[in-house]
Amino acid sequence: MPMTTSDEATLKYDHLKQSSVIIGMSGGVDSSVASLLLKQQGFTVVGLSLVTHDRGMEAAADARAVCRRLGQELIVVDMRDSFQESIVHDFVDAWLAGLTPNPCVLCNPTVKFKTLIDTADRFGFRHIATGHYASVRRHPDSSRLALAKTDSGQKDQTYFLYRLQQEQLARIIFPLDGMSKPEVRRLAAEYGLEGEQGTALAEKPDSQDICFIPDQDYLGLLREEIVRRGLDDARKHLEPGPIVDVHGQIIGTHKGLLAYTIGQRKGFDVKTTERLFVIARHFSTNTLVVGPFEHVLKQTIQVKSVVYSGIGNFDEAQPVTARVRSSAQPAACRVFNNRDKSLTVRFDQPVASPAPGQSCVFYDRGLILAGGIITESAD
RNA sequence: UGGGGUGUCGCCAAGCGGUAAGGCACGGGACUUUGACUCCCGCACGCGUAGGUUCAAAUCCUGCCACCCCAG
């Protein structure tokens, strides 16, 4: 009988754990190519498709086709019910509370990455992966983990991932780190990756908009949910009311306050000669206030529910940069700590329409330091 | 029914005899794993109406209509 120490056995077992990975697969080109890259690097890859809404099954079918092609397993997790109860429910509540929620930001840590890690734990795998364009680095000073923009600098999805915790970041592999979208599409074409119907994934358009809302019609979803949940008080927020300018003059009729968010420019047929933006929604009087662009510029915002990544806390008046929406360039600002753990952020130059409910994410040279939810803004 | 003024795209508005600027709104694209923003493209064979002058009129002339103002 060969002598095997328990240490050696653990070592072999560890090797298996280290070389296996659960990857989230959406059926799109990014996660498919990410999967391909992991396989090429010698990982044992198991795919995981999350079905969060009724139309998610076709996406899972495309993921299945890719897995078949790559010779890997695919697990499909149907979590429509729990997704409805958590993310969709909160999304609706936030809108009804006058906020402008960003469901993706919450879904990533609490649903998407959580399920990936839970599944990895069940398999005894150390790593999880996704097809995001992002990377995980260590902050040079704190040695904490932080998301970072990828070197390619082309596509950057870090904003949506800022709420991932240290334990989660420690287990993530982003195979697309450093790649550009065209490179990814080229690889997909080169390896002939295709979906269930034989459509080339290289040609598949990027996913966009909120995954659980068909046709970008979030208002339609709100309407349905208000009826389904019997939220009679909220019905009035779907009814037309006056649009007033900054002087209080009625200049038109809006189509329900829930159809608008701060900074919005379109969607109100109003007699005007200049560009007007939504500067406030008054739910008590069902009034929409609009005005010229300068009224939408804000220099100070309050941020709560902060998740710290690259740093454990801010120095007083620490100069950093922050983005108030995913597509914005980070803007210079200073951060002040409040007693209740919230932050006051003062931008060097005013930023356009930061909306309560949206996220403010702090960056330092491409590294995410922290991020939180905007609660209010001031001039 | 005396005098004066104005009538150009849904809204505002250039044009002042040479063959309809522009802005807002709207529609369509691009961008985008949130709401938005932004960008690009489109948008009056016709200028209250009916005639007239002219090679040529939204632009000049006349009638009519509508609205506004001032007087009664």
Side-chain angles (χ1 to χ4, degrees):
Chain A
M1 195 156 196
M3 298 289 289
T4 306
T5 69
S6 58
D7 278 358
E8 283 173 343
T10 303
L11 223 54
K12 285 178 184 170
Y13 185 51
D14 272 352
H15 176 69
L16 273 180
K17 288 200 298 186
Q18 294 294 335
S19 65
S20 300
V21 58
I22 300 281
I23 181 169
M25 296 190 68
S26 68
V29 62
D30 294 333
S31 57
S32 297
V33 169
S35 197
L36 168 70
L37 292 173
L38 285 174
K39 185 190 172 191
Q40 290 181 334
Q41 288 162 29
F43 282 95
T44 297
V45 184
V46 174
L48 174 69
S49 280
L50 291 180
V51 178
T52 55
H53 54 95
D54 291 344
R55 294 166 309 127
M57 282 304 185
E58 9 182 316
D62 280 348
R64 169 145 283 135
V66 172
C67 286
R68 216 167 19 236
R69 170 79 168 71
L70 298 177
Q72 66 191 40
E73 296 292 316
L74 178 73
I75 303 165
V76 177
V77 179
D78 183 349
M79 47 192 322
R80 278 176 285 189
D81 289 345
S82 63
F83 189 82
Q84 174 72 32
E85 286 164 21
S86 56
I87 301 297
V88 179
H89 193 278
D90 289 353
F91 174 79
V92 173
D93 283 352
W95 269 106
L96 298 185
L99 301 172
T100 305
N102 183 340
C104 300
V105 146
L106 297 178
C107 169
N108 279 324
T110 63
V111 176
K112 195 172 283 182
F113 284 80
K114 177 177 190 305
T115 307
L116 283 168
I117 283 178
D118 287 351
T119 307
D121 285 343
R122 222 167 56 231
F123 280 61
F125 292 178
R126 170 65 186 163
H127 295 296
I128 63 166
T130 68
H132 284 102
Y133 291 82
S135 67
V136 179
R137 307 273 168 75
R138 278 197 185 280
H139 190 284
D141 302 332
S142 69
S143 80
R144 290 168 57 93
L145 294 172
L147 285 151
K149 299 181 187 178
T150 71
D151 292 332
S152 77
Q154 304 247 0
K155 214 166 149 69
D156 171 30
Q157 297 177 315
T158 54
Y159 177 88
F160 296 98
L161 302 174
Y162 83 91
R163 293 192 82 79
L164 292 173
Q165 307 284 339
Q166 293 287 301
E167 319 80 84
Q168 294 176 305
L169 293 176
R171 300 177 65 175
I172 295 174
I173 298 172
F174 290 124
L176 301 187
D177 179 4
M179 296 190 69
S180 70
K181 187 85 189 191
E183 284 179 297
V184 169
R185 288 196 184 282
R186 192 178 54 71
L187 273 179
E190 187 177 318
Y191 284 86
L193 296 181
E194 47 189 38
E196 190 198 22
Q197 306 294 333
T199 53
L201 289 187
E203 311 293 330
K204 194 171 177 178
D206 286 8
S207 68
Q208 58 187 43
D209 308 312
I210 306 178
C211 72
F212 57 88
I213 297 182
D215 309 322
Q216 308 182 34
D217 182 18
Y218 80 90
L219 193 59
L221 176 95
L222 291 181
R223 200 173 281 124
E224 282 175 26
E225 286 293 295
I226 285 171
V227 171
R228 192 179 69 80
R229 286 163 59 179
L231 304 171
D232 294 333
D233 287 350
R235 285 174 187 269
K236 62 176 179 291
H237 301 144
L238 292 167
E239 290 166 7
I243 298 177
V244 304
D245 64 20
V246 290
H247 307 296
Q249 288 291 319
I250 295 178
I251 58 172
T253 303
H254 68 70
K255 53 192 180 191
L257 289 185
L258 291 178
Y260 306 89
T261 184
I262 300 300
Q264 186 167 326
R265 195 193 118 200
K266 289 178 173 288
F268 33 91
D269 205 345
V270 71
K271 309 275 188 243
T272 176
T273 58
E274 60 182 340
R275 285 191 180 186
L276 296 176
F277 300 80
V278 172
I279 59 183
R281 296 175 295 167
H282 294 150
F283 284 87
S284 57
T285 56
N286 197 26
T287 302
L288 187 71
V289 184
V290 301
F293 184 69
E294 58 262 29
H295 287 269
V296 109
L297 290 170
K298 303 290 179 183
Q299 192 146 24
T300 306
I301 61 174
Q302 302 296 321
V303 176
K304 68 161 189 184
S305 187
V306 180
V307 172
Y308 288 91
S309 291
I311 56 173
N313 63 280
F314 284 103
D315 297 333
E316 197 59 10
Q318 182 169 341
V320 294
T321 63
R323 46 166 53 140
V324 138
R325 54 175 55 78
S326 61
S327 60
Q329 281 301 314
C333 61
R334 285 179 182 274
V335 182
F336 302 87
N337 297 292
N338 300 325
R339 289 192 180 284
D340 62 357
K341 306 274 191 197
S342 68
L343 304 173
T344 296
V345 181
R346 182 163 182 81
F347 289 94
D348 294 5
Q349 301 296 326
V351 294
S353 38
Q358 292 281 292
S359 287
C360 177
V361 182
F362 303 94
Y363 290 82
D364 180 18
R365 285 158 290 181
L367 230 64
I368 289 186
L369 301 181
I373 311 285
I374 300 167
T375 54
E376 55 184 291
S377 63
D379 297 336

